[in-house]
Amino acid sequence: MTTSTPADASTPSNNDNVRWFSELGLADLEQVGGKNSSLGEMVRSLSAAGVRVPDGFATTADAFRRFIAQTRLGDLINAKLKGLDTDDVEELARVGAEIRAAVVAQEFPADLEADIRAAYAQLAGDNPEASFAVRSSATAEDLPDASFAGQQETFLNIRGIEAVLTAVREVFASLYNDRAIAYRVHH
């Protein structure tokens, strides 16, 4: 599973929070990022050819935006970044750490958490030992004048829904790591 900053019999969803790889393609890049849209292409194309590609789900860019807006994190982030001198490494580290801590500590809006929980339950099935990768899939990873690939965190071998929810928040928070903040300002 990957976040947008992630079961062969998945049920298509019609929601704005979570999308299954099996329903994604390259046309969904703006909503789920490059990794997720490519995984969707692989699941759809290679599965038909008999190649087993693990399914998964992605949280959408809209879900991330609502998370930031509805929880008022956007106001906090904008205030912290306003006037930040990214060349002042100590200040950049302090502000970045404060923003990341606020994002990780913030509970998800109820609908987003419910959708992640439902998708996780379907994906994990009855396997309590199932482990997953939770990673970013930025919608602006490879632009003509900048590449944001590798700027956000990836978490491997994540087990259990509570750990998945925390890892999703940590991936969201990694959008505000020091190098990502500085890179966005400079590009």
Side-chain angles (χ1 to χ4, degrees):
M1 78 194 61
T2 57
T3 64
S4 310
T5 261
D8 292 331
S10 61
T11 303
S13 64
N14 289 323
N15 90 40
D16 295 329
N17 290 325
V18 172
R19 302 271 311 275
W20 288 96
F21 293 162
S22 59
E23 52 183 25
L24 297 175
L26 295 179
D28 299 299
L29 186 131
E30 288 185 18
Q31 209 29 246
V32 296
K35 286 185 200 93
N36 287 331
S37 60
S38 294
L39 283 166
E41 287 288 329
M42 287 183 5
V43 168
R44 290 178 11 190
S45 299
L46 295 178
S47 294
V51 177
R52 292 188 57 188
V53 180
D55 203 358
F57 64 91
T59 58
T60 66
D62 285 342
F64 171 77
R65 289 196 257 319
R66 280 193 305 278
F67 170 64
I68 295 297
Q70 289 178 1
T71 61
R72 316 271 308 163
L73 281 169
D75 296 338
L76 172 99
I77 292 166
N78 290 335
K80 297 250 180 229
L81 294 179
K82 186 177 181 179
L84 176 66
D85 176 5
T86 57
D87 292 326
D88 181 342
V89 178
E90 289 180 12
E91 183 68 2
L92 174 61
R94 184 188 66 75
V95 168
E98 288 176 4
I99 292 171
R100 291 189 304 278
V103 173
V104 171
Q106 181 62 57
E107 294 297 319
F108 287 119
D111 66 318
L112 176 54
E113 183 169 330
D115 290 343
I116 294 170
R117 284 180 180 277
Y120 172 85
Q122 186 173 337
L123 190 60
D126 59 0
N127 182 358
E129 296 302 313
S131 67
F132 301 95
V134 181
R135 57 191 313 215
S136 69
S137 181
T139 58
E141 282 188 338
D142 294 307
L143 300 174
D145 57 348
S147 176
F148 291 88
Q151 296 290 325
Q152 292 176 257
E153 300 297 331
T154 293
F155 299 93
L156 304 175
N157 300 314
I158 305 300
R159 287 186 170 87
I161 184 58
E162 297 308 322
V164 165
L165 290 167
T166 298
V168 170
R169 283 192 299 274
E170 287 176 349
V171 167
F172 285 178
S174 72
L175 184 59
Y176 305 99
N177 68 39
D178 303 355
R179 71 180 179 272
I181 292 169
Y183 194 79
R184 277 193 305 278
V185 167
H186 293 291
H187 290 89

